[in-house]
Amino acid sequence: MPGGRLTQQERHQIALGLADGLAYAEIARRLDRPTSTITREVMRNGGPTAYRADLAHRATERRAHRRKPSAPREQRASAQPYGRDAEAVREFEEVYAAAMMASGMPLMMGRVLSCLTVSDSGSLTAQELAQRLQVSPASISKAIAFLDSQGMVRRERDERRRERYIVDDEIWYQSMMVSVRSTAQLVETTRQGVDVLGAGTPAAARLEGVARFLDFVSEGMARAAEQARDVLRTSPGLRDSADPKPDHE
């Protein structure tokens, strides 16, 4: 049934579909499941190249035994502003984290960044993140350290002197520029190898080609990020809105 838990047989079908190179949407269609369900299942259990049906099934059973009883659906939904469906928001948050993982970000870092991004304030404490994601404070600390090093979150102290982690309109631009600077450093190091190996030798020529390619891509990324920077800025009316309005107003 589309709304129930995945069975072990369905997980074997997912594994076979991945082995055949099928897209998540096609696997979902064959199982009569939402694509998001398949995406979350695969990314939670090793990703498309490491997914194993039996291991995924056992891991899911262990998580189910550890999970605390959840509040009634009505209570969870009431905490969501703007009349949102709480389960739909939670599912999107996990799918968004899985998409970040597919792009190369470690899973816990993706979950933390996704949680911050989908919150209206874009700001949460370590305790709030740990409660929402049902993980240890140590996991949050490690994830934040990574995201901070990549320029994807910033830290501030609130009025109660608690450290808050924030994503804002500039985070993706700043993160892109961190990547640009890192690539520029790689270009410089690569070109040092040309001198070491001797200009005109096959290995040096290969390194020079790599350096030129990365230099070209890095310049293009910096130029595109600067040109698109305004796209990240949300409308002032939405950003300054203090209280969500009920749907009937």
Side-chain angles (χ1 to χ4, degrees):
M1 185 174 71
R5 290 183 179 178
L6 287 167
T7 66
Q8 191 164 18
Q9 179 59 35
E10 285 178 314
R11 290 190 166 96
H12 280 293
Q13 292 298 113
I14 291 172
L16 290 173
L18 293 172
D20 290 340
L22 299 181
Y24 294 152
E26 176 59 21
I27 297 173
R29 187 189 65 78
R30 295 185 180 192
L31 294 177
D32 192 25
R33 292 278 189 171
T35 302
S36 59
T37 298
I38 306 303
T39 302
R40 185 170 63 252
E41 165 70 16
V42 174
M43 300 313 296
R44 266 185 167 182
N45 295 285
T49 60
Y51 183 83
R52 299 292 182 272
D54 292 336
L55 293 178
H57 195 70
R58 288 197 292 271
T60 301
E61 288 181 334
R62 286 196 298 271
R63 286 194 293 266
H65 287 309
R66 290 198 304 264
R67 192 170 294 132
K68 298 177 181 178
S70 58
R73 179 179 173 84
E74 294 78 11
Q75 181 178 337
R76 295 200 304 270
S78 65
Q80 281 291 330
Y82 299 103
R84 295 170 180 144
D85 183 301
E87 293 299 326
V89 171
R90 186 173 290 105
E91 180 173 297
F92 170 75
E93 191 175 304
E94 292 188 17
V95 171
Y96 194 33
M100 292 181 190
M101 180 181 172
S103 71
M105 184 178 292
L107 179 57
M108 182 51 62
M109 290 63 170
R111 292 189 70 201
V112 169
L113 184 59
S114 175
C115 191
L116 285 166
T117 302
V118 304
S119 66
D120 286 301
S121 66
S123 169
L124 296 167
T125 65
Q127 182 180 6
E128 289 168 339
L129 283 165
Q131 288 174 345
R132 290 189 184 210
L133 298 176
Q134 292 294 290
V135 297
S136 69
S139 296
I140 298 299
S141 178
K142 183 178 179 181
I144 288 294
F146 173 86
L147 293 170
D148 190 15
S149 73
Q150 300 299 307
M152 303 196 79
V153 299
R154 58 185 173 85
R155 305 168 189 249
E156 285 186 1
R157 294 281 179 180
D158 62 18
E159 66 280 357
R160 295 169 58 185
R161 304 301 298 164
R162 298 176 305 177
E163 188 170 68
R164 301 192 72 85
Y165 309 119
I166 300 168
V167 293
D168 58 25
D169 297 343
E170 290 287 296
I171 288 298
W172 287 101
Y173 169 78
Q174 296 297 342
S175 174
M176 184 70 70
M177 298 312 294
V178 168
S179 178
V180 167
R181 289 191 291 272
S182 176
T183 303
Q185 180 61 52
L186 180 57
V187 169
E188 182 179 342
T189 304
T190 302
R191 285 201 165 122
Q192 291 173 5
V194 174
D195 294 333
V196 172
L197 295 169
T201 64
R206 184 180 305 113
L207 283 181
E208 179 60 32
V210 170
R212 291 173 62 189
F213 170 79
L214 292 176
D215 198 21
F216 180 85
V217 170
S218 179
E219 288 185 9
M221 287 172 59
R223 188 163 51 250
E226 195 63 47
Q227 292 171 345
R229 194 173 185 177
D230 285 344
V231 175
L232 291 169
R233 297 191 174 97
T234 56
S235 68
L238 181 57
R239 188 166 52 241
D240 296 338
S241 177
D243 300 308
K245 295 181 175 59
D247 288 347
H248 61 268
E249 289 187 4

